Amino acid sequence: MILYFSGTGNSAYVAKRIGKMINDEVVHLFEKIKDNDFSPLQSKRPWVIVVPTYAWRIPRIVEYWLKNTPLQGNQDIYFVMTCGGSIGNAGKYIEKLCQNIKMNNRGCMEIIMPENYIAMFSTPTKEEASKIIDRAEKVIDLAAVCIKNGQSFKHPNVSFNDKISSSVINKLFYPLFVHAKKFYVLDDCISCGACESECPVGAISMGDDHYQINADECISCGACAGVCPVGAPKEA
Ligand code: SF4
Ligand code: SF4
């Protein structure tokens, strides 16, 4: 079973493509996370977790969900991480997580996709994005073939900078950027409510005259910006 978390669409794309290639069920985790649904899941086939990279590791909200949700049946688990540049030393923390939840870690694959995390980075041009996607498709194919054949992902090379990024910088990044009032809603909001139902952490609610984001709850996933018909959610 493929479980994915995606705010801006990259991880959703990768998860669905792998699902199609290996002919396996694909489940979006937003609803389960939003509803605090930690009920056990069953799969005879390996688990594949597809997530964006938050500060060179998997999103903490997904890690928390995995720690609290029994994954029953097959005990092999693969991780596929989309990113705009690098997943750093995320594999080390995935191994710790797998030991914690008693699953067999089959490795972590980095898929570099066009940067679309508008809260922090500028997005590539159409031409640049198309080249990045062409390269990504080959890596997605490789991931799907490995999973289909029961092979572990190749262990990636990890540099000193990768180690620093996933440890010290990760600890700094979360309070500074993930919970730092990055998203807010403009007066352009037409109160359609689409973002409220999309937000995985329930950070959006109706205010006095339009919808608003509770900055203390927002994890800067970008999902609200992706569904808004008038582009009202903006990054600070
Ligand atoms: Fe994501 Fe924050 Fe928007 Fe909710 S309010 S969808 S957590 S960016
Ligand atoms: Fe307002 Fe956009 Fe949210 Fe609709 S999706 S409620 S227009 S911010």
Side-chain angles (χ1 to χ4, degrees), residues 183 195 198-204 213 217-225:
F183 278 89
C195 57
E198 192 70 16
C199 179
V201 293
I204 304 177
I213 291 173
E217 291 176 11
C218 172
I219 59 165
S220 301
C221 74
C224 51

Side-chain angles (χ1 to χ4, degrees), residues 68-90:
N68 288 283
T69 305
L71 300 182
Q72 298 173 342
N74 198 305
Q75 291 302 290
D76 285 352
I77 187 164
Y78 291 88
F79 285 80
V80 176
M81 295 178 68
T82 60
C83 62
S86 162
I87 63 169
N89 193 20

